[in-house]
Amino acid sequence: MKHTVKLVIKYIFYGISFGCTFFVIMCLSFFLGKGDDFLIPIFKDFAKQSIGAMIVGIACGGTSIVYQFDRLSGFLKIMIHFCIGMGVFYPMGIYLGWIPFYPDQILFTVLQFLSSCGIFMIIWFCFYLFHRNEAKRINKRLKELEQDHA
């Protein structure tokens, strides 16, 4: 139990750092592409914007702890992570103005949601590839060590 609590806290802090880092990278990207005007609404309510980035980071990055639990199937882990991540990101993005929302333009709203899902999947897939390559590297090193001791 104590190990699980430490793991949860670790993943929450991973999520916060991921959310803050992503927030800064996005602000820099839009600043470089669009100039100062993009940052004015963010600076006007910087505390709310920053807290929103941390909450989304916890929802997307922190919930990746689900991959540590062996009892769940791989598909269920992905669905839990995806649903919590998108369930927090999309409403938060609309609330904070990161995602434009026009209730009278349902097609636009659906396309925005699908775009957000696609971005989430791309980010998830990049992390998947990174961790898969890390596992291969570690396994290769373990085999080398095993051969050295044989």
Side-chain angles (χ1 to χ4, degrees):
M1 180 66 170
K2 186 176 179 181
H3 172 70
T4 304
V5 171
K6 285 182 181 180
L7 196 61
V8 167
I9 291 170
K10 177 178 152 181
Y11 273 82
I12 287 172
F13 281 109
Y14 282 164
I16 290 170
S17 68
F18 176 75
C20 290
T21 301
F22 196 75
F23 180 65
V24 169
I25 289 170
M26 292 307 297
C27 287
L28 281 173
S29 299
F30 282 112
F31 170 74
L32 293 173
K34 295 186 177 190
D36 292 8
D37 292 340
F38 172 78
L39 296 175
I40 291 170
I42 292 171
F43 286 147
K44 281 185 178 180
D45 204 2
F46 186 73
K48 191 187 313 182
Q49 296 286 328
S50 300
I51 291 169
M54 288 185 245
I55 290 170
V56 169
I58 291 169
C60 294
T63 57
S64 62
I65 192 172
V66 73
Y67 298 106
Q68 300 296 318
F69 303 121
D70 295 330
R71 292 183 184 175
L72 302 174
S73 71
F75 179 75
L76 185 58
K77 291 175 188 179
I78 293 168
M79 291 311 300
I80 289 169
H81 186 212
F82 179 79
C83 289
I84 292 173
M86 286 305 296
V88 172
F89 167 74
Y90 199 73
M92 184 70 69
I94 291 171
Y95 173 71
L96 293 173
W98 301 342
I99 300 171
F101 181 69
Y102 308 107
D104 57 329
Q105 297 178 2
I106 192 70
L107 180 61
F108 180 79
T109 302
V110 169
L111 290 175
Q112 283 288 350
F113 180 73
L114 293 175
S115 296
S116 298
C117 290
I119 291 167
F120 185 95
M121 287 185 235
I122 289 168
I123 293 170
W124 180 90
F125 189 68
C126 290
F127 275 100
Y128 169 78
L129 290 177
F130 171 78
H131 288 291
R132 187 182 74 175
N133 288 336
E134 281 293 298
K136 285 181 181 179
R137 186 184 62 78
I138 291 168
N139 286 333
K140 180 181 174 187
R141 181 68 180 135
L142 286 172
K143 287 179 183 177
E144 289 171 359
L145 288 173
E146 197 174 87
Q147 290 173 353
D148 288 345
H149 291 297

